[in-house]
Amino acid sequence: MTEQPEMIPTGDNRMLDEVFSDRKITWLEKTLGTDNYRIVKGLFKTPASIIGFILILIFVLIAVFAPAIMPPVDNDPFKMPRDGYSGEPRGPGAEWTRKVPDMPFWYEPLTGKTEMTHVLGTTQGQYDILYGIVWGTRTAFNTGLLVVAVTVIIGVVLGSIAGYYGGWVDNVIMRITDIFMTLPYIMMALIFSAVLTPVLGRSLWPPLIAMTTFGWMGYARVIRSDILSIKERDFVLAAKVSGVKKNRILFKHVLPNAIFPTLVLASLGIGEVVLGFASLSFLGIGTEVGYADWGQILSFARNWITNLDRYWYIVVFPGVTLTLFVMGWNLVGDALRDVLDPRMRGKI
Amino acid sequence: MTNYIIRRLLMVPLLLVGVTLIIFGMLQLLGPVERSALYVKDFPKNDKQVQGIITRYGLDKPFLTQYGIWLVGVKDPVTGERDGGILFGDFGYSRTASQDVIDIVKNRFPNTVDLALWTVYPMLSVGIWLGVKAAVNQNKFIDQAARVYSIIGTSFPTFVFGLLLLMLLYAGPQYFLPGKMSDWVSQLIFSGEFKQYTHLLSIDALLNLRFDVFWDALRHMIMPILTLSYINWATYVRVTRSSMLETLRMDYVTTARAKGLSENTVINQHARPNAMLPIVTMAGSSIVGLLGGVVLTETVFNYPGIGKAAADAAGQLDVVTVLGLAIFSGAILIFANLIVDVVYAFIDPRVRLA
Amino acid sequence: MSNHEETLIRVEDLKVHFPIYRGVIRRQVGSVKAVDGVSFQVKKGETLGLVGESGCGKTTTGRAIVQLYKPTAGHVYFRDIDLVSLKEEPMRLMRKEIQMIFQDPYASLNPRMTVRDIIAEPLLAFGMATGKELDTRVKELMRLVRLDPDFIYRFPHEFSGGQRQRIGIARALALNPAFIVCDEPISALDVSIQAQIINLFEDLQKELNLTYLFIAHDLSMVRHISDRVAVMYLGIIVELADRNEIYNNPLHPYTQALLSAIPVPDPEHYRRRSRIVLEGDVPSPANPPSGCRFRTRCPKADEECEKGRPEFREILPGHFVECFKAEVPSPLKEVTFEENSILK
C-alpha cells in the first residue's frame, strides 16, 4: 500500500474526476472512521508500544486463567491461603504443608518437584506470595478498569457540559474542578478512605470510592479544552447551518473529534489507579489483611525494614509485577499519545 | 499583569472555602457521636456526656450551621471564652498522637519542609540536564538510554523504589538511615545545647556550626530525596526532551547556527531558555507537591513529617487528625500554588495578557 | 440583466459588535465593530457580490445573516420574516431555505464522516428521506455538482480541494434552499480550479433559480458572477451598484483605489491608467475614525469629512454611495476597467 501524499491546501491541477486513492477501505476503517483507524494502526508501529501490548496481554491472560494457575483454597478466591500462622516469612521453595491447593498444571513440568511448595515464598503470617500475585492481577484489573471507567464518565460529562454550553455553567464547573485539583491526590484518597471505612466497613469500597471522587478532574479539563477548540471549527458551524440540532452536534461532531486525547489519558490512568490502589493498601487503608492485592503484600514489608535483604522476596516479586503492569499501560498510553498528536508529548 | 495577580489572589478565598467545605463534608459522613470526639480529650464515657457534647457544639444542627461552628468554634455561655474553631487554629485533638492536631503540625511540618528544601535541586537538575542531553543527541545512545529510563522510572512505584533502597543501602550496609535523626542528635537537642532557630534540622545544624549534626541530618534524608527524585527525573527527562526537540526545530535556532555561533551557545543561550517554559510550570507543581506531604515516601522511611502523621492517623482510623491535617495541607497548597502562579506570570509574558 | 421580482433578503442596519473585556472584573471597555450598520437587499435569482479587503467585516456579515453569529442590532428579513427575532427552533426550520458554503474546503467537512454522511446530514436533520431514498438523493446531488457518485463512501481527505468544495456545495443544495451565502468559496483553490467552480455556481443558479450572496476579495471573479456589487470597508458598505456601473463608474474613492489595483495583463493599459495608492494602514475596527471612516486614507478627504458619517445616498439610479465627496463624473472617465479576457 502506498503512502498517502500530504494534502496541502494550495489546490491542485488534477482532472476533476480523479480521486487520489484506489485503496481498499476495510471494514475496520469504516467503523472506526479514518482518523481513528490511523491511530490504531500507529499504535502497533513502535517496539515500545508492542512491548506494552504484550505486557498487558500477559497480565490479561494471568487474570483470566487465575483459577488454573493457582487454584483457590477458600470459598473466596481473593483470600490468600495461609500455610499456618507463623510470623516469620519463608523464602522461595519453602514447603507448603497446610491448606495446600491442588497442584496447578504447570507445577510439575516447570519445577520438577512432586510436592507443592511456595514457589515465591511467603510473607509473615504465611501467605503465599505467588498466589497473591496471580489473583492480585484480577484485583488490579477490577479496580483499575472500574475506577477509570467511572472517573472518565464523570469527567467527560462535566467537561462536555462546561465546554459546550459555556457561560456560567462553565464557570461553576471549572471552579469546582479547580478546588478539587488543589488537593493532593494521595492524601485525599487516603483521608476519604479512612473516613469511609468506619461507615462502609473494611472492604474494597472505601478506597475505590475515594479514588473515584478525586480522580475525574484531569479528564474534565482535557475534554473541555478540546471541545472549546473543536466548537469553532467550520464543519461544526456547517452542521449548525444544515439545521442539525444542538445536542446532536455535540454527540455526532464535537465529541467524537474531541474524545481521543481523553482516551489517551484514560489508558495512562489505569496504571495510575492501580498504583494508587497499591499505595493505599501499602499504607494500610483499603483491603483487609490477606486480600490478594499487590499493595497488600508489599505492606508486609514494612515490618521487616531492618532485615529487608533477607526477606527480599516480599518486596521484589510483587514490586516487579506492579512495575511491569504499570509500565505496560504507560507504554501503550505513550504510543497513543505519539500517534495522536506529537505536540501532545510532554503536555499531558 | 497586576490584573492577573489580583484575580489570582481573589481566587484564594474561594479555594479555601471550597476545600474546607469538601473536607467538612467528609466529616459529616460520620454520625454526631463520632464527631463529638473532635472536641474532647478523653473519649466520653457515657451517653449523657456524649449528648452534652453534641448539644454544646451543635453537632445535630443543619449542615451550614455546623460548618460555621466548625470554623469559628462556640462561645462558652458561662465564661465567654471561645472554644474550638478552625480559623483560630483549633484543629481538634488527636487521640492517636495524644496531642492537639495543631501541635502535630508544629512538630512535623518543619521536617517536611526540611526534606522539601533539599529535594528541590536534585529533583529538577538531573532530569532537566538529562532531557537536554537526550534531545541534543537525538537517537544516539544517551537518548535511547534516557527514553528507556523515562519509561521505567514513571512506572516504578515510589514505595517499591523506597523499599529497594532500604534493602540495598540500609538493611545490609547501613550507609544511610531511615527516620529523621540519630539518637545522639535528639539527646543533644533535648539537652538545650542545640538552638533551634528555624526548627529545620539541617539549617539549624549549620547555624549552630555543628557539621556533624548536619551530616547526620543529610544521612537520614538522602534516601527519601532519592526516592522523591527518581520519578521526577523520569518525568522531566521526557518533557524536557520533547520540549527541547521542538525548540531545536525552530527557525531561530537554525538562524543562530547559520550566524556561526558555537553549538554550545546555540543550545544554551537560544534553545534551552525557550524550551524551559513548559517545564517551569511543571517544576512549580512538583515543588508545591513536595509541601503537600509526601505520604508514601515519608511512611516508607519512617520520616516524621506531616505525610507520615496523616498515614499513621489514617491507619488507625483517627478521622479527626486526618481531616485536620488535610485542611492544613490544603491551605498550604493553595498558598504555594498562588506563589508559583505569580512567579510564573513574571516569567512568561503571555500569561500576563490572559 | 435578468428580471428579478421579489426581494428575498432585506438587511436593515445590521450591526455585529464583539465586546472587549479588560480589567480585574472583566468589564466591557469597548467593542470591535466588525459590522456597523449595513443595509442592502437581494432580489430573487440575483447574485449580490460583497467585496472588501481582509478584516472589513464581509465574512462576519455573511455569518450574521445566516445567524451563526447573533447580530448585536439590526434586522435580517427573509421574505418579511425577521431572522434576528427568531428563537432557536424556528430559526432552525428556516435553514431549509437559507444555506451557506464555507471558504476552507478542508475544515468545513468533518474528517470522520463519509461523503454520503456529510451530504445526507441536512436531509436527516429534517427527516426528509431515509435509507435507499437517501442514498439516491445523495447521488443525485453529487451528479449535480459533477462528482462521480461512485465515490459516495470515500472520506474527505481522499479528495482534492476542488472536489471537497463540490461536496460542500452539494451539502448546501440538499435542502433545496432559496438563498445561499457563499463565503469566499474559491479563495482556497488553485486558479484553474476556481474558474471551473465559478462556472458550476453559475450553472446551478440558472438550473435551480438560486439567489447568492457572494463574498469574495477577488474583484475580477466577483465581476464575472455578480449582478450587483457591494463594497465594504471597516464594517460598512461604502458603495453599492450594478456590476457594470461599479466597474466602469466607481464613485467612492475607496472603490476607485481598489479597481485601479486590479492586475491587467495588458502593458498598454498599464501605461495609460493612473494607479491610486492609499496611504496609511487600515484603522482598528475597535476604534474607527470619527466622521467618514475612510477619511484617514482617502486622497480626497478634507475637513468636511470629519463632521459625521455621510449618508448612504442613491447618487444615480440604483447606485448608492456613502461619501461626501462623491460626484457624478463628467463623460471623461478617470479609471477604466476592461474585461479580463481569460474569463468566459
Side-chain angles (χ1 to χ4, degrees):
Chain A
M1 221 191 321
T2 51
E3 274 300 304
Q4 291 286 358
E6 188 61 35
M7 296 295 292
I8 313 165
T10 56
D12 58 73
N13 291 321
R14 303 212 185 196
M15 300 301 291
L16 267 181
D17 291 330
E18 197 178 291
V19 169
F20 278 120
S21 69
D22 287 320
R23 62 188 181 85
K24 298 212 176 321
I25 300 192
T26 62
W27 161 89
L28 192 61
E29 182 169 359
K30 261 205 214 149
T31 8
L32 293 175
T34 303
D35 263 6
N36 298 348
Y37 177 70
R38 270 197 328 227
I39 289 170
V40 170
K41 261 181 52 178
L43 274 181
F44 291 91
K45 268 201 251 177
T46 59
S49 59
I50 297 182
I51 295 179
F53 273 112
I54 294 180
L55 277 174
I56 296 180
L57 188 61
I58 294 178
F59 281 109
V60 167
L61 289 173
I62 296 180
V64 167
F65 290 110
I69 302 179
M70 282 300 283
V73 166
D74 218 79
N75 277 331
D76 179 7
F78 286 99
K79 273 206 165 90
M80 294 199 283
R82 301 180 70 168
D83 185 4
Y85 296 93
S86 155
E88 170 131 8
R90 292 185 290 148
E95 271 177 53
W96 201 328
T97 46
R98 263 167 283 197
K99 278 201 157 176
V100 187
D102 306 325
M103 193 162 299
F105 64 94
W106 52 267
Y107 188 79
E108 202 164 344
L110 209 63
T111 64
K113 300 198 197 142
T114 47
E115 293 291 316
M116 194 64 183
T117 60
H118 298 286
V119 181
L120 296 182
T122 71
T123 65
Q124 82 184 65
Q126 305 306 310
Y127 294 99
D128 181 56
I129 293 183
L130 177 60
Y131 188 92
I133 289 184
V134 166
W135 285 86
T137 314
R138 275 210 182 178
T139 312
F141 274 111
N142 289 344
T143 52
L145 291 173
L146 181 64
V147 172
V148 168
V150 176
T151 48
V152 166
I153 293 177
I154 298 178
V156 167
V157 166
L158 285 179
S160 306
I161 297 178
Y164 194 65
Y165 294 101
W168 62 269
V169 173
D170 182 15
N171 241 326
V172 165
I173 294 184
M174 276 303 110
R175 291 313 124 232
I176 296 178
T177 312
D178 280 340
I179 292 175
F180 271 85
M181 284 191 96
T182 314
L183 302 164
Y185 181 57
I186 290 282
M187 202 180 241
M188 295 318 288
L190 180 73
I191 290 168
F192 199 30
S193 205
V195 170
L196 285 175
T197 311
V199 178
L200 294 178
R202 205 179 179 83
S203 67
L204 281 184
W205 292 107
L208 286 180
I209 298 180
M211 292 178 74
T212 313
T213 318
F214 290 97
W216 52 270
M217 298 85 73
Y219 304 119
R221 273 202 165 178
V222 167
I223 196 127
R224 173 183 174 269
S225 95
D226 286 331
I227 284 185
L228 281 181
S229 66
I230 302 251
K231 214 169 50 153
E232 300 303 323
R233 297 245 225 119
D234 275 1
F235 66 82
V236 175
L237 293 176
K240 193 159 174 219
V241 166
S242 297
V244 181
K245 295 200 185 142
K246 210 166 181 187
N247 291 334
R248 206 177 129 79
I249 296 185
L250 175 62
F251 286 107
K252 188 105 208 281
H253 290 272
V254 179
L255 266 184
N257 281 300
I259 195 96
F260 249 58
T262 310
L263 293 182
V264 171
L265 263 193
S267 65
L268 291 173
I270 299 188
E272 270 171 41
V273 167
V274 171
L275 254 187
F277 194 77
S279 309
L280 289 180
S281 296
F282 178 75
L283 292 171
I285 301 292
T287 59
E288 64 242 355
V289 176
Y291 194 91
D293 173 59
W294 300 332
Q296 234 293 301
I297 305 176
L298 283 165
S299 75
F300 284 123
R302 289 175 67 182
N303 302 316
W304 302 99
I305 302 261
T306 43
N307 289 319
L308 269 186
D309 47 347
R310 221 169 103 194
Y311 300 118
W312 56 272
Y313 39 90
I314 308 183
V315 172
V316 170
F317 291 127
V320 167
T321 318
L322 184 55
T323 309
L324 287 176
F325 186 87
V326 174
M327 201 186 305
W329 290 101
N330 278 352
L331 285 171
V332 170
D334 246 17
L336 254 183
R337 179 167 51 206
D338 277 359
V339 165
L340 258 192
D341 184 358
R343 279 177 285 146
M344 272 169 57
R345 256 188 252 132
K347 286 216 189 120
I348 292 189
Chain B
M1 179 166 75
T2 354
N3 288 334
Y4 175 72
I5 296 184
I6 295 178
R7 255 183 291 124
R8 188 62 189 80
L9 271 173
L10 286 177
M11 278 190 67
V12 170
L14 174 69
L15 288 174
L16 283 172
V17 168
V19 164
T20 46
L21 266 176
I22 292 178
I23 296 189
F24 182 69
M26 290 203 274
L27 186 59
Q28 292 299 89
L29 285 175
L30 309 171
V33 178
E34 288 101 350
R35 278 184 281 127
S36 57
L38 244 189
Y39 298 94
V40 285
K41 288 195 185 347
D42 306 310
F43 203 68
K45 296 287 192 294
N46 55 36
D47 284 341
K48 203 144 149 266
Q49 267 190 335
V50 169
Q51 193 52 46
I53 297 173
I54 292 182
T55 342
R56 178 182 160 133
Y57 293 102
L59 293 179
D60 46 4
K61 297 236 183 73
F63 185 85
L64 279 180
T65 324
Q66 290 203 42
Y67 180 62
I69 295 178
W70 182 66
L71 279 181
V72 296
V74 287
K75 270 215 176 73
D76 190 307
V78 174
T79 62
E81 261 177 45
R82 187 168 295 277
D83 187 3
I86 296 284
L87 290 181
F88 293 93
D90 187 344
F91 284 68
Y93 184 78
S94 165
R95 70 176 150 83
T96 50
S98 305
Q99 42 182 268
D100 285 335
V101 173
I102 190 78
D103 289 329
I104 300 182
V105 170
K106 281 198 205 141
N107 291 330
R108 308 294 202 102
F109 188 61
N111 292 334
T112 303
V113 174
D114 201 5
L115 183 61
L117 204 58
W118 292 97
T119 311
V120 172
Y121 186 70
M123 177 177 85
L124 295 175
S125 57
V126 173
I128 295 179
W129 174 83
L130 195 55
V132 170
K133 271 264 175 298
V136 167
N137 296 304
Q138 194 181 8
N139 287 329
K140 294 208 205 109
F141 175 70
I142 191 153
D143 184 27
Q144 314 276 26
R147 285 158 77 182
V148 168
Y149 174 66
S150 77
I151 299 280
I152 299 184
T154 44
S155 314
F156 227 113
T158 334
F159 57 95
V160 173
F161 188 80
L163 288 172
L164 284 177
L165 274 187
L166 280 173
M167 214 165 77
L168 296 170
L169 299 176
Y170 167 64
Q174 294 226 347
Y175 293 142
F176 302 110
L177 311 166
K180 178 81 184 121
M181 54 180 102
S182 310
D183 287 331
W184 64 266
V185 174
S186 47
Q187 277 167 9
L188 180 67
I189 298 177
F190 196 66
S191 73
E193 271 179 33
F194 187 86
K195 296 260 188 332
Q196 294 199 298
Y197 301 108
T198 59
H199 288 273
L200 299 174
L201 185 60
S202 55
I203 307 293
D204 284 339
L206 289 176
L207 291 175
N208 272 288
L209 296 179
R210 292 291 303 255
F211 295 104
D212 48 349
V213 177
F214 181 69
W215 170 237
D216 185 68
L218 277 188
R219 251 177 111 198
H220 283 95
M221 288 202 284
I222 290 197
M223 287 197 291
I225 293 179
L226 265 179
T227 311
L228 284 171
S229 304
Y230 89 93
I231 197 171
N232 276 300
W233 293 340
T235 319
Y236 278 99
V237 163
R238 178 166 56 193
V239 176
T240 313
R241 178 182 173 275
S242 68
S243 177
M244 195 66 185
L245 279 179
E246 224 179 285
T247 314
L248 285 173
R249 264 183 263 156
M250 294 269 160
D251 284 344
Y252 59 83
V253 172
T254 323
T255 314
R257 284 204 190 106
K259 280 200 275 181
L261 297 172
S262 76
E263 190 65 14
N264 256 331
T265 319
V266 171
I267 294 175
N268 288 322
Q269 288 182 9
H270 289 267
R272 204 169 50 153
N274 286 304
M276 284 300 121
L277 229 38
I279 295 164
V280 171
T281 353
M282 284 184 62
S285 303
S286 302
I287 297 179
V288 169
L290 284 179
L291 289 175
V294 276
V295 182
L296 281 173
T297 313
E298 288 186 9
T299 310
V300 168
F301 293 106
N302 231 353
Y303 189 85
I306 45 173
K308 174 132 190 311
D312 289 340
Q316 313 232 28
L317 297 183
D318 182 358
V319 175
V320 171
T321 315
V322 149
L323 288 176
L325 291 175
I327 304 237
F328 180 75
S329 278
I332 293 283
L333 282 177
I334 291 177
F335 285 106
N337 273 316
L338 174 69
I339 296 178
V340 166
D341 281 347
V342 169
V343 168
Y344 193 65
F346 278 103
I347 301 179
D348 186 359
R350 294 171 292 177
V351 172
R352 299 182 210 154
L353 302 172
Chain C
M1 292 297 127
S2 13
N3 44 348
H4 309 128
E5 334 85 19
E6 52 165 321
T7 302
L8 204 56
I9 291 271
R10 196 178 72 219
V11 177
E12 222 172 75
D13 203 29
L14 185 66
K15 293 194 178 141
V16 183
H17 294 172
F18 297 109
I20 305 175
Y21 297 108
R22 282 265 187 281
V24 183
I25 47 174
R26 300 287 205 200
R27 274 173 310 120
Q28 179 174 350
V29 295
S31 53
V32 173
K33 302 171 186 51
V35 180
D36 204 17
V38 157
S39 308
F40 58 84
Q41 296 178 10
V42 188
K43 298 219 178 7
K44 185 156 175 62
E46 80 164 334
T47 300
L48 176 65
L50 187 58
V51 295
E53 49 190 314
S54 311
C56 70
K58 47 190 202 300
T59 299
T60 315
T61 307
R63 292 188 179 189
I65 291 178
V66 189
Q67 305 299 308
L68 276 181
Y69 295 157
K70 204 97 190 87
T72 318
H75 305 274
V76 177
Y77 293 101
F78 178 78
R79 290 200 184 117
D80 297 326
I81 304 177
D82 184 5
L83 300 179
V84 178
S85 67
L86 289 181
K87 291 223 173 18
E88 197 175 319
E89 183 62 15
M91 182 61 217
R92 190 182 79 89
L93 293 171
M94 290 301 284
R95 303 223 182 263
K96 287 194 232 179
E97 308 268 18
I98 308 169
Q99 276 298 314
M100 186 157 173
I101 296 173
F102 291 81
Q103 174 178 2
D104 186 346
Y106 292 76
S108 59
L109 304 178
N110 187 335
R112 281 182 175 32
M113 290 168 74
T114 56
V115 169
R116 178 207 172 271
D117 290 333
I118 293 175
I119 300 179
E121 189 167 36
L123 296 168
L124 286 172
F126 291 103
M128 293 183 112
T130 45
K132 265 224 137 48
E133 227 181 279
L134 197 57
D135 280 7
T136 319
R137 179 90 180 108
V138 169
K139 287 190 182 168
E140 232 177 80
L141 287 162
M142 286 176 79
R143 269 185 234 109
L144 196 57
V145 297
R146 302 185 203 145
L147 277 174
D148 188 340
D150 284 341
F151 299 142
I152 196 172
Y153 289 113
R154 302 271 159 185
F155 288 93
H157 73 268
E158 303 181 67
F159 293 91
S160 68
Q163 289 169 315
R164 290 191 201 202
Q165 202 56 297
R166 287 165 190 265
I167 298 173
I169 297 172
R171 172 177 60 193
L173 294 175
L175 294 170
N176 283 325
F179 176 64
I180 303 187
V181 174
C182 311
D183 187 1
E184 308 211 39
I186 49 177
S187 310
L189 304 173
D190 217 29
V191 176
S192 55
I193 307 292
Q194 285 183 2
Q196 289 162 344
I197 302 288
I198 284 286
N199 291 339
L200 176 63
F201 266 101
E202 289 183 312
D203 293 342
L204 287 170
Q205 183 174 39
K206 272 193 226 111
E207 253 182 78
L208 306 170
N209 199 15
L210 298 168
T211 310
Y212 291 143
L213 175 66
F214 198 87
I215 303 174
H217 60 255
D218 181 346
L219 294 163
S220 15
M221 212 39 100
V222 167
R223 170 166 191 159
H224 180 73
I225 192 174
S226 312
D227 297 313
R228 291 190 301 142
V229 176
V231 179
M232 272 188 84
Y233 179 77
L234 213 59
I236 58 170
I237 296 186
V238 295
E239 188 161 3
L240 169 63
D242 281 351
R243 185 246 322 263
N244 288 331
E245 234 338 78
I246 281 251
Y247 283 85
N248 292 328
N249 191 16
L251 296 176
H252 193 285
Y254 181 60
T255 321
Q256 292 168 348
L258 278 186
L259 291 175
S260 79
I262 297 178
V264 173
D266 180 350
E268 277 292 325
H269 178 92
Y270 260 121
R271 263 179 256 131
R272 267 187 285 124
R273 80 169 176 192
S274 47
R275 173 85 193 273
I276 303 174
V277 177
L278 295 175
E279 311 264 314
D281 286 320
V282 182
S284 156
N287 197 10
S290 57
C292 171
R293 281 161 198 239
F294 188 55
R295 67 173 170 81
T296 54
R297 305 171 75 196
C298 182
K300 295 195 186 144
D302 59 26
E303 313 84 45
E304 186 190 359
C305 303
E306 294 173 32
K307 273 194 250 147
R309 230 173 108 173
E311 200 196 317
F312 190 57
R313 58 199 165 102
E314 192 167 359
I315 202 170
L316 285 176
H319 191 148
F320 299 78
V321 185
E322 184 171 318
C323 180
F324 290 122
K325 299 290 166 204
E327 61 212 10
V328 184
S330 53
L332 273 177
K333 302 194 183 104
E334 260 193 69
V335 175
T336 58
F337 175 76
E338 278 158 21
E339 178 130 20
N340 195 317
S341 53
I342 289 187
L343 294 176
K344 208 164 22 109

